[in-house]
Amino acid sequence: QSGLLPPKGGRGRGLAGARNKPTTPTDGSLKESTLLSSTVGEGGAQHLHLSSGGSAGGVGSSSSQTQSRAKTYQANLNPDQVDAMHLDVMDYFLKEGLGLLAQDCSNYVEDKTSARYLYNMGRLEYLRKNYPESNRYLKQLLSVDSKHKNAWILRGHAFYCDGKDFDSEESYLSALRIKN
């Protein structure tokens, strides 16, 4: 489920054809726009601001309706929850092939030793075709969690793309030895 496969047509090509999908409908079917912003208040509490903007183009929506629908939520998130949120967004960006946005999300993660962070960084470096750096993150992850099947698979892909056939085969075999 890593979503990463070795490239077709040879080594060192990384992920071919990164997908860029539009994030909003182009057929005019967008009925309401929503803006989510975040600020940090006293005591480290994070305030999330959700604003609904009514119909697209402003038709049929008055300022008072927009203001009445706008809400401010206060969320007291602990650092683990904040990291999980950033890692979820990072997962999405990596699945869509958006490496720069994934890198931006990684900058906000506090626990840089978590398995999920290390795996995502390995994925990011693989996407960038920086295979030695990808393997560095994956090696660090596997030293902590040797049963991480997707890390072994991705490590095999990175070794393969880097021309290290023996290491690639060993990584794939390690993944096969892991029982579900």
Side-chain angles (χ1 to χ4, degrees):
Q1 186 177 356
S2 70
L4 300 174
L5 299 174
K8 293 181 181 178
R11 302 173 188 273
R13 297 173 103 199
L15 292 175
R19 301 174 307 211
N20 290 324
K21 296 180 183 175
T23 56
T24 57
T26 57
D27 62 357
S29 64
L30 182 63
K31 299 295 183 203
E32 192 169 302
S33 61
T34 303
L35 174 65
L36 180 65
S37 62
S38 166
T39 58
V40 177
E42 292 182 31
Q46 186 172 12
H47 301 274
L48 300 175
H49 308 280
L50 179 65
S51 304
S52 297
S55 300
V59 177
S61 175
S62 71
S63 176
S64 63
Q65 288 173 330
T66 301
Q67 289 177 357
S68 68
R69 291 190 309 196
K71 297 177 184 177
T72 301
Y73 298 94
Q74 179 178 4
N76 294 313
L77 302 175
N78 66 41
D80 290 338
Q81 292 169 320
V82 173
D83 279 357
M85 177 182 64
H86 287 112
L87 289 167
D88 286 343
V89 174
M90 190 177 177
D91 279 335
Y92 173 77
F93 289 145
L94 288 169
K95 285 177 187 170
E96 296 299 318
L98 302 170
L100 291 175
L101 293 173
Q103 177 64 50
D104 287 345
C105 284
S106 74
N107 294 333
Y108 293 99
V109 176
E110 289 183 30
D111 184 6
K112 307 254 190 238
T113 61
S114 72
R116 195 166 167 207
Y117 173 80
L118 294 170
Y119 180 67
N120 278 344
M121 291 305 294
R123 290 171 62 198
L124 176 61
E125 294 304 330
Y126 181 85
L127 182 69
R128 291 178 170 168
K129 301 177 191 172
N130 187 354
Y131 307 119
E133 190 67 12
S134 176
N135 275 320
R136 186 184 70 77
Y137 281 111
L138 296 169
K139 181 180 179 182
Q140 188 177 352
L141 164 59
L142 291 167
S143 71
V144 176
D145 181 7
S146 64
K147 300 286 187 195
H148 197 294
K149 187 182 264 187
N150 286 337
W152 282 114
I153 294 168
L154 181 57
R155 193 165 192 231
H157 295 345
F159 277 134
Y160 175 80
C161 292
D162 208 19
K164 298 179 179 177
D165 293 336
F166 179 78
D167 293 326
S168 175
E169 183 180 351
E170 289 298 313
S171 294
Y172 290 136
L173 289 173
S174 294
L176 289 172
R177 288 184 193 111
I178 297 172
K179 296 187 170 121
N180 291 335

